[in-house]
Amino acid sequence: MKEICFLCHEEIITNLTWETLFVKQNPKKICSTCEGKIMVIKGNRCFRCGRPIEQRLCYDCVRWEKYFNGKDPLKYNVSLLKYNDFLQEVVTLWKYRGDYVIIEAFKELFKKRFKKAFAQIKKPLLVPIPLSKERAMERGFNQAEQLAEFLPGEVCNIFKRVSSEKQAKKSRRERIRAKNPFELTETVNRPVILIDDLYTTGSTLRHASKLLKENNCPAVFAYTLIRG
Protein backbone atom coordinates (compact mmCIF):
# COMPACT_ATOMS: atom_id res chain seq x y z
CA MET A 1 0.00 0.00 0.00
CA LYS A 2 1.39 3.39 -1.00
CA GLU A 3 2.03 5.99 1.66
CA ILE A 4 0.98 9.51 0.67
CA CYS A 5 2.41 12.70 2.18
CA PHE A 6 -0.23 14.51 4.23
CA LEU A 7 1.13 17.89 3.13
CA CYS A 8 1.86 17.68 -0.61
CA HIS A 9 -0.06 14.45 -1.38
CA GLU A 10 2.89 12.95 -3.24
CA GLU A 11 3.91 9.32 -2.75
CA ILE A 12 6.42 8.77 0.05
CA ILE A 13 9.43 6.80 -1.15
CA THR A 14 10.89 4.61 1.62
CA ASN A 15 14.40 3.23 1.23
CA LEU A 16 14.31 -0.55 1.53
CA THR A 17 16.60 -1.88 4.28
CA TRP A 18 16.73 -5.03 6.44
CA GLU A 19 15.14 -3.00 9.21
CA THR A 20 12.19 -1.90 7.09
CA LEU A 21 11.71 -5.49 5.92
CA PHE A 22 11.63 -7.16 9.33
CA VAL A 23 10.84 -4.47 11.90
CA LYS A 24 7.40 -2.90 12.05
CA GLN A 25 7.73 0.84 11.46
CA ASN A 26 5.29 3.66 12.13
CA PRO A 27 4.10 4.81 8.70
CA LYS A 28 5.65 8.09 7.58
CA LYS A 29 3.22 10.94 7.09
CA ILE A 30 5.55 13.49 5.49
CA CYS A 31 7.80 13.11 2.45
CA SER A 32 11.47 14.08 2.58
CA THR A 33 10.84 17.22 0.49
CA CYS A 34 8.27 18.56 2.96
CA GLU A 35 10.44 17.50 5.91
CA GLY A 36 13.17 19.74 4.56
CA LYS A 37 10.84 22.75 4.68
CA ILE A 38 9.84 22.25 8.33
CA MET A 39 11.88 24.03 10.99
CA VAL A 40 11.61 22.29 14.37
CA ILE A 41 12.61 24.70 17.16
CA LYS A 42 15.83 23.54 18.84
CA GLY A 43 18.65 25.05 20.85
CA ASN A 44 18.60 28.32 22.78
CA ARG A 45 15.26 30.07 23.13
CA CYS A 46 13.42 32.54 25.33
CA PHE A 47 12.48 30.63 28.48
CA ARG A 48 9.09 32.39 28.63
CA CYS A 49 7.71 32.32 25.07
CA GLY A 50 9.91 29.79 23.27
CA ARG A 51 11.25 32.16 20.60
CA PRO A 52 14.62 30.95 19.21
CA ILE A 53 17.06 33.48 20.69
CA GLU A 54 20.39 33.55 22.51
CA GLN A 55 19.18 35.66 25.44
CA ARG A 56 17.27 34.11 28.33
CA LEU A 57 14.33 36.50 27.87
CA CYS A 58 13.32 38.13 24.58
CA TYR A 59 12.42 41.81 24.22
CA ASP A 60 8.67 41.08 23.99
CA CYS A 61 8.69 39.04 27.20
CA VAL A 62 10.66 41.76 29.00
CA ARG A 63 7.79 44.09 28.09
CA TRP A 64 5.26 41.55 29.35
CA GLU A 65 7.16 41.36 32.65
CA LYS A 66 6.92 45.13 32.99
CA TYR A 67 3.24 45.12 32.02
CA PHE A 68 2.45 42.59 34.78
CA ASN A 69 4.86 44.17 37.29
CA GLY A 70 7.08 41.10 37.35
CA LYS A 71 4.16 38.67 37.76
CA ASP A 72 3.52 37.31 34.28
CA PRO A 73 0.54 34.90 34.66
CA LEU A 74 2.02 32.61 31.99
CA LYS A 75 4.91 30.56 33.38
CA TYR A 76 6.16 29.57 29.95
CA ASN A 77 5.14 28.54 26.45
CA VAL A 78 6.69 25.73 24.43
CA SER A 79 6.31 25.68 20.64
CA LEU A 80 7.23 22.89 18.25
CA LEU A 81 7.77 24.63 14.90
CA LYS A 82 9.14 27.92 13.64
CA TYR A 83 6.78 29.87 11.38
CA ASN A 84 7.84 30.17 7.73
CA ASP A 85 6.27 30.47 4.27
CA PHE A 86 5.72 26.73 4.00
CA LEU A 87 3.88 26.55 7.31
CA GLN A 88 1.82 29.58 6.33
CA GLU A 89 0.51 27.55 3.38
CA VAL A 90 -0.17 24.55 5.64
CA VAL A 91 -2.06 26.69 8.17
CA THR A 92 -4.14 28.28 5.41
CA LEU A 93 -5.19 24.85 4.12
CA TRP A 94 -5.86 23.61 7.65
CA LYS A 95 -7.74 26.47 9.26
CA TYR A 96 -9.28 28.39 6.39
CA ARG A 97 -9.89 25.79 3.70
CA GLY A 98 -11.11 23.00 5.94
CA ASP A 99 -8.31 20.46 5.38
CA TYR A 100 -8.79 19.00 8.87
CA VAL A 101 -6.59 15.95 8.28
CA ILE A 102 -3.48 17.83 7.12
CA ILE A 103 -2.25 18.55 10.65
CA GLU A 104 -2.06 14.80 11.38
CA ALA A 105 1.34 15.12 9.71
CA PHE A 106 2.69 16.69 12.91
CA LYS A 107 0.87 14.48 15.43
CA GLU A 108 3.78 12.29 16.55
CA LEU A 109 6.24 15.19 16.74
CA PHE A 110 3.70 17.22 18.70
CA LYS A 111 3.19 14.39 21.22
CA LYS A 112 6.90 13.75 21.58
CA ARG A 113 7.80 17.38 22.33
CA PHE A 114 4.89 17.63 24.79
CA LYS A 115 6.05 14.63 26.82
CA LYS A 116 9.57 16.01 27.05
CA ALA A 117 8.59 19.61 27.83
CA PHE A 118 5.94 18.96 30.47
CA ALA A 119 7.03 15.68 32.10
CA GLN A 120 7.55 17.43 35.45
CA ILE A 121 4.00 18.88 35.61
CA LYS A 122 1.83 16.65 37.79
CA LYS A 123 -1.73 15.92 36.59
CA PRO A 124 -2.12 18.95 34.32
CA LEU A 125 -5.42 19.86 32.73
CA LEU A 126 -5.20 20.45 28.97
CA VAL A 127 -7.32 23.47 28.02
CA PRO A 128 -7.72 24.40 24.33
CA ILE A 129 -8.18 28.07 23.48
CA PRO A 130 -11.79 28.45 22.26
CA LEU A 131 -13.10 29.97 19.05
CA SER A 132 -16.07 32.29 18.86
CA LYS A 133 -19.32 30.69 17.69
CA GLU A 134 -19.00 32.55 14.39
CA ARG A 135 -15.45 31.29 13.76
CA ALA A 136 -16.36 27.73 14.75
CA MET A 137 -19.28 27.80 12.29
CA GLU A 138 -17.01 29.07 9.50
CA ARG A 139 -14.31 26.43 10.02
CA GLY A 140 -16.35 23.50 11.26
CA PHE A 141 -13.80 22.66 13.96
CA ASN A 142 -11.57 24.22 16.60
CA GLN A 143 -7.91 23.69 15.69
CA ALA A 144 -6.80 23.99 19.33
CA GLU A 145 -9.18 21.18 20.34
CA GLN A 146 -7.81 19.00 17.54
CA LEU A 147 -4.25 19.53 18.80
CA ALA A 148 -5.27 18.88 22.42
CA GLU A 149 -6.77 15.52 21.42
CA PHE A 150 -3.36 14.43 20.12
CA LEU A 151 -1.91 14.65 23.63
CA PRO A 152 -1.98 12.32 26.65
CA GLY A 153 -3.99 13.81 29.51
CA GLU A 154 -7.39 15.17 30.42
CA VAL A 155 -8.79 17.73 27.99
CA CYS A 156 -11.34 20.17 29.37
CA ASN A 157 -13.09 23.16 27.80
CA ILE A 158 -13.40 25.67 30.62
CA PHE A 159 -13.39 28.90 28.59
CA LYS A 160 -16.07 30.64 26.59
CA ARG A 161 -15.08 33.31 24.09
CA VAL A 162 -17.26 36.39 24.56
CA SER A 163 -15.60 38.54 21.88
CA SER A 164 -15.40 37.56 18.21
CA GLU A 165 -12.99 40.32 17.14
CA LYS A 166 -10.12 39.02 15.03
CA GLN A 167 -6.80 39.44 16.81
CA ALA A 168 -4.88 39.51 13.53
CA LYS A 169 -6.42 42.87 12.65
CA LYS A 170 -5.19 44.49 15.86
CA SER A 171 -1.82 46.03 16.62
CA ARG A 172 0.25 44.60 19.46
CA ARG A 173 -0.73 47.52 21.71
CA GLU A 174 -4.43 47.01 20.90
CA ARG A 175 -4.17 43.29 21.67
CA ILE A 176 -2.55 43.93 25.04
CA ARG A 177 -5.03 46.60 26.09
CA ALA A 178 -8.13 44.86 24.73
CA LYS A 179 -10.84 43.66 27.08
CA ASN A 180 -10.37 40.02 28.05
CA PRO A 181 -12.21 38.03 25.34
CA PHE A 182 -12.79 35.02 27.59
CA GLU A 183 -15.06 33.95 30.41
CA LEU A 184 -14.19 31.07 32.73
CA THR A 185 -17.02 28.54 33.01
CA GLU A 186 -15.47 26.70 35.96
CA THR A 187 -12.51 27.09 38.28
CA VAL A 188 -9.67 24.59 38.53
CA ASN A 189 -7.19 23.78 41.28
CA ARG A 190 -4.75 21.91 39.05
CA PRO A 191 -1.96 23.16 36.79
CA VAL A 192 -3.29 24.10 33.35
CA ILE A 193 -1.56 23.76 30.01
CA LEU A 194 -3.24 25.98 27.43
CA ILE A 195 -3.25 24.52 23.92
CA ASP A 196 -3.28 26.63 20.75
CA ASP A 197 -2.03 26.50 17.20
CA LEU A 198 0.07 29.67 17.02
CA TYR A 199 1.95 31.93 19.43
CA THR A 200 2.38 35.42 17.96
CA THR A 201 2.32 38.27 20.49
CA GLY A 202 1.23 36.06 23.39
CA SER A 203 -1.73 38.28 24.23
CA THR A 204 -4.40 35.56 23.75
CA LEU A 205 -2.58 33.12 26.03
CA ARG A 206 -2.02 35.81 28.65
CA HIS A 207 -5.68 36.82 28.67
CA ALA A 208 -6.54 33.20 29.42
CA SER A 209 -3.69 32.81 31.93
CA LYS A 210 -4.66 35.97 33.80
CA LEU A 211 -8.25 34.79 34.17
CA LEU A 212 -7.11 31.42 35.48
CA LYS A 213 -4.68 32.94 37.99
CA GLU A 214 -7.35 35.35 39.24
CA ASN A 215 -9.47 32.29 39.98
CA ASN A 216 -6.82 30.46 42.01
CA CYS A 217 -5.30 28.19 39.37
CA PRO A 218 -1.86 27.24 40.81
CA ALA A 219 0.13 27.52 37.54
CA VAL A 220 -0.49 28.14 33.85
CA PHE A 221 1.67 26.93 30.96
CA ALA A 222 1.09 26.88 27.19
CA TYR A 223 1.88 24.49 24.38
CA THR A 224 1.55 25.68 20.78
CA LEU A 225 2.25 24.06 17.46
CA ILE A 226 3.93 27.09 15.86
CA ARG A 227 5.97 30.05 17.15
CA GLY A 228 5.40 33.08 14.94
Side-chain angles (χ1 to χ4, degrees):
M1 185 176 178
K2 293 181 179 179
E3 293 175 358
I4 303 299
C5 177
F6 273 58
L7 302 181
C8 69
H9 306 298
E10 295 292 328
E11 183 181 353
I12 297 173
I13 306 300
T14 303
N15 293 326
L16 193 62
T17 65
W18 288 111
E19 185 178 17
T20 57
L21 276 172
F22 296 109
V23 180
K24 185 177 180 181
Q25 303 287 313
N26 289 325
K28 289 191 68 176
K29 296 182 178 180
I30 311 175
C31 68
S32 56
T33 301
C34 288
E35 277 184 344
K37 298 175 182 178
I38 295 166
M39 299 176 66
V40 176
I41 296 174
K42 298 178 181 178
N44 294 332
R45 66 204 85 166
C46 172
F47 89 93
R48 183 80 70 193
C49 72
R51 172 185 285 167
I53 192 173
E54 292 297 322
Q55 293 86 349
R56 185 171 181 271
L57 202 63
C58 72
Y59 178 68
D60 278 348
C61 287
V62 169
R63 290 197 289 178
W64 278 118
E65 284 286 306
K66 290 179 180 178
Y67 182 78
F68 287 109
N69 297 314
K71 296 181 180 180
D72 194 327
L74 180 66
K75 274 193 170 290
Y76 61 78
N77 166 73
V78 174
S79 297
L80 176 64
L81 307 173
K82 186 177 179 181
Y83 196 64
N84 59 16
D85 291 341
F86 178 69
L87 278 181
Q88 184 179 18
E89 293 176 16
V90 171
V91 169
T92 298
L93 289 171
W94 178 37
K95 290 169 63 173
Y96 307 117
R97 297 184 189 170
D99 195 344
Y100 180 86
V101 178
I102 197 170
I103 219 65
E104 290 273 343
F106 304 109
K107 182 176 179 178
E108 294 307 316
L109 272 176
F110 195 64
K111 285 169 61 177
K112 186 177 180 180
R113 173 63 62 87
F114 175 83
K115 290 176 181 178
K116 183 177 179 180
F118 299 101
Q120 78 281 11
I121 311 300
K122 303 300 181 185
K123 296 183 179 179
L125 194 64
L126 309 182
V127 178
I129 294 294
L131 294 176
S132 65
K133 288 182 180 179
E134 294 85 354
R135 211 74 67 234
M137 288 285 286
E138 286 174 11
R139 298 179 189 172
F141 71 100
N142 178 352
Q143 69 278 0
E145 288 183 7
Q146 183 185 7
L147 290 170
E149 293 296 340
F150 290 164
L151 304 173
E154 182 182 351
V155 179
C156 190
N157 290 291
I158 59 174
F159 283 113
K160 179 171 70 172
R161 189 181 281 270
V162 293
S163 171
S164 59
E165 287 185 287
K166 289 186 177 181
Q167 293 295 305
K169 293 185 176 181
K170 294 180 180 180
S171 68
R172 186 182 188 281
R173 181 180 291 273
E174 288 172 334
R175 292 188 190 194
I176 292 172
R177 298 185 181 279
K179 182 180 177 182
N180 199 316
F182 305 118
E183 283 183 359
L184 199 59
T185 59
E186 59 181 279
T187 58
V188 294
N189 59 3
R190 291 162 55 184
V192 163
I193 302 175
L194 299 170
I195 309 296
D196 208 0
D197 60 329
L198 181 64
Y199 183 113
T200 49
T201 65
S203 55
T204 297
L205 293 171
R206 282 177 173 84
H207 279 306
S209 299
K210 183 172 182 288
L211 199 52
L212 284 163
K213 292 296 290 181
E214 288 172 347
N215 286 274
N216 300 317
C217 177
V220 187
F221 309 84
Y223 186 45
T224 49
L225 179 67
I226 301 166
R227 179 63 176 87

